[in-house]
Amino acid sequence: MTAADAAAAADIAREAGEVLLEVRAGFSEDFDGKARGKAGDAKAQERIAALLASRFPDDAVLSEEARDSSARLSAERVWIIDPLDGTREYSEGRADWAVHVALWTRGAKPADASADVPGELTAAAVAIPGEDLVLDTDTVGGIGPREDGPVRLAVSRSRPPAITEPVREALDAELVPMGSAGVKIAAVVRGQVDAYVHAGGQYQWDSAAPIAIARAAGLFCSRIDGSPLVYNEADPYLPDLVVCRPELAERILATIAAATSGEEA
C-alpha cells in the first residue's frame, strides 16, 4: 500500500464529507429527507469526480453514482467510490454515514495469496464526517486487545440480515445497531464492536474502502463462505462479507456454514 495514494484518498474523502455537511446544513429540518440525500449524493459525486480527474486523470473509476464502463476491467488503477454510504442516516440528520474512496491496482498481491485475481485494493480512506473522522490504510494502525464483556456484533439499524441471529446466538453476542456498512466496518477497526456479518446484498463500492482499512488494521475479512473478497470484477455485485477480530473468524464461519446447511455448529 502506498502512503501517497492513501493520503490522496483521505483528502478526497474528507473534502467530499465537507461538501455533504454543507449540503445537509442548507436544508431546513422540515424539508423532505430524500431530497437531502439525493442532493448530497450528487454533490459529493461531483466533487470526488473532479478531484480524481485533476489528480489522477489516467485512472479509471467505479462509483455508485456514475455510469460504469468496461474500460476499468483493463485499467492499471481503478478508484472504487461510494460518495455517500448511508443515505438514510444522512437524510435523517444522523452521524453514522460515510464516504468511501478506495484504489484497486493491477498486479498487486491479493490479501489471500491463494486467490487468482489480477489485482487488489492498495489504498483507501473512509470519512465519517459526522464525527470529524477519516481513517486511511496508511495510518490506521493495528487493533488492540479486546475488552472484557460480551462479544459485540454490528447490525443494521433498519434491516438486519437473517444470518445475524445464528451468529449472535453462537457468540452469545450483544447486537449494536448502526447505519452504513462503512461505519459498521470502521466500528470493528475502532474496537467499538468485535464483528460485522452481512448477507443482505451489497456492491463493491459498499465495502471496498472499509475492507482495505480493516485488512490494514489486521482484521479478518472474507465472504461468508470464507472465500476472498475480490474487487474490480465485471459484475459490481458483492453481496456478503465477514469482518471480525481474527480470533472470532473460525467460529463465525462455522456458524454461518451450519446455519446455511441446516446443521449445528
Side-chain angles (χ1 to χ4, degrees):
M1 298 184 183
T2 67
D5 287 328
D11 288 345
I12 292 168
R14 184 180 292 106
E15 283 204 35
E18 291 170 355
V19 167
L20 284 159
L21 290 172
E22 290 171 3
V23 169
R24 190 167 70 175
F27 284 86
S28 63
E29 290 186 6
D30 59 352
F31 205 88
D32 178 56
K34 291 183 178 180
R36 281 197 295 271
K38 186 175 180 180
D41 264 325
K43 289 296 185 181
Q45 168 63 29
E46 181 181 309
R47 177 63 60 87
I48 292 171
L51 290 170
L52 288 175
S54 173
R55 297 189 185 194
F56 307 103
D58 297 326
D59 293 355
V61 179
L62 170 63
S63 173
E64 180 180 18
E65 299 301 325
R67 185 187 296 272
D68 194 9
S69 169
S70 60
R72 67 178 172 82
L73 301 177
S74 58
E76 293 300 308
R77 290 163 44 106
V78 181
W79 292 91
I80 303 177
I81 305 298
D82 191 343
L84 174 53
D85 182 57
T87 305
R88 178 174 179 169
E89 287 72 25
Y90 172 83
S91 299
E92 293 174 353
R94 295 171 58 93
D96 48 346
W97 50 275
V99 179
H100 298 178
V101 179
L103 175 64
W104 178 95
T105 303
R106 185 171 302 281
K109 183 179 178 181
D112 181 344
S114 67
D116 183 18
V117 296
E120 186 55 287
L121 302 172
T122 53
V126 171
I128 306 177
E131 296 187 43
D132 192 24
L133 175 68
V134 180
L135 301 173
D136 71 76
T137 46
D138 186 55
T139 63
V140 65
I143 56 172
R146 199 180 85 79
E147 296 180 3
D148 292 336
V151 171
R152 297 155 299 172
L153 185 64
V155 63
S156 172
R157 55 183 287 265
S158 58
R159 48 186 185 280
I163 198 62
T164 298
E165 180 51 29
V167 174
R168 185 208 63 76
E169 184 176 354
L171 299 176
D172 193 21
E174 172 188 319
L175 298 182
V176 183
M178 56 185 71
S180 79
V183 168
K184 294 186 191 78
I185 296 173
V188 189
V189 173
R190 299 166 72 187
Q192 297 170 324
V193 296
D194 303 300
Y196 170 46
V197 177
H198 181 80
Q202 289 182 347
Y203 291 83
Q204 293 180 38
W205 46 74
D206 291 308
S207 64
I211 285 294
I213 291 168
R215 288 173 176 170
L219 292 167
F220 174 86
C221 306
S222 78
R223 301 284 301 272
I224 61 170
D225 63 359
S227 62
L229 290 152
V230 180
Y231 294 90
N232 198 36
E233 295 279 87
D235 184 352
Y237 191 56
L238 188 56
D240 56 74
L241 54 78
V242 173
V243 179
C244 66
R245 299 184 64 89
E247 64 267 28
L248 297 176
E250 184 176 354
R251 183 62 170 160
I252 289 174
L253 292 177
T255 298
I256 294 171
T260 54
S261 66
E263 302 173 359
E264 290 189 4

